[in-house]
Structures are given as structure tokens and as C-alpha cells.
Amino acid sequence: MSNPPALIVRPLTPADEAAFLPLWQGYNTFYHADVPAAVTAETWRRFHDPAMPVHILGAWKSAAGNPERLIGFATYLFHLSTWSMGPSCYLEDLFTAPDARGLGAGRALIAGVTDAARAAGASRLHWLTQQSNTVAQSLYDVVAKRSGFIDYHHEL
């Protein structure tokens, strides 16, 4: 019997871009989003600019004899809130490669963002998902509580 793969959650570095881009494309395909290349490039730049409040963690799978492979990512940002003294943390994107689902990457990434939010003095962590994304909700319902709010968007 083989050992399950180990998961390592860490911030992505500029050197991780080639590993990140296929997952980013998979995420955008999943949500039927057409994010222009210029937006992707600027977003990647922002992740590595210490003056920006947006961050990215990656979940890496490693097993004996196999090199590490990026299997998921989470992006998050901090913002002020009128409901608390400290900042809030918004988990904006969370994605696990389809062939790596069920290995615990999503849970590990949420835990990593939770740790980062606590370290930053955030009073809450929040996120959204599509109503039809029941697979993700089966995890989210275990690690958090539903807020009861309905999300609206008005494009500008």
C-alpha cells in the first residue's frame, strides 16, 4: 500500500508562474470566464508586489519519488470593513485540478488563508461560490457557515 501524497501549502513565487497558468486557465474554463491575458499578467504581478493587498497560496502534491506538482491555488485579499475594527479577508479564487480533487487541497488552502488572515489581524474570512457548485459547497459547509446573503453584481 502506498502512502498518500503529502500536501505543501505555500505562497507562490514569480518562479511558479508556469505551474500556475494551466490551473488558472482551468479555473476560468470551469467558471466560463474569459479573462484577458493582460489581466492575468497584471494579476500575477500584483501577487508579488508587497504594496498590493492581494495574495496567492498554492497547494503542492509531493510523493516519494515524484517531483512536486501544483494542484491548487487560493487567492485572497484584505479590505476594510464597516462591521469591525480590523480588516476582513476575502478568499476570491479557490481551485483544485480536477485530477487532484479529494486529496485535501481545498481544505488545506482554506486553512492556509485562514492562518494568513489571523496573522494579519482580520476579524473574518469570507467567500462566494456559484449556487450550482455543490461539490465545493460540500467542503465549505464543513469549514464555514453560510451567511444567508445573496450576491449581486453591477458591471461598470
Side-chain angles (χ1 to χ4, degrees), residues 9 57 73-74 91 93-94 104-118 125 127 136 139-141 143-144:
V9 173
L57 294 177
F73 68 88
L91 193 163
D93 307 303
L94 178 66
R107 183 183 296 264
L109 286 163
I110 292 170
V113 173
T114 299
D115 290 345
R118 281 192 182 116
L125 169 62
W127 64 90
L139 168 62
Y140 301 160
D141 288 343
V143 300

Side-chain angles (χ1 to χ4, degrees), residues 63-106:
N66 294 327
E68 289 186 357
R69 178 172 81 101
L70 183 65
I71 61 168
F73 68 88
T75 70
Y76 60 99
L77 57 98
F78 295 101
H79 62 90
L80 296 177
S81 172
T82 59
W83 292 11
S84 68
M85 295 295 288
S88 289
C89 182
Y90 176 55
L91 193 163
E92 186 165 15
D93 307 303
L94 178 66
F95 184 73
T96 300
D99 68 334
R101 293 190 180 142
L103 298 178

Side-chain angles (χ1 to χ4, degrees), residues 30 129-141 146:
F30 179 82
T129 193
Q130 282 188 333
Q131 191 172 9
S132 62
N133 193 351
T134 58
V135 172
Q137 290 172 46
S138 67
L139 168 62
Y140 301 160
D141 288 343
R146 291 184 189 224

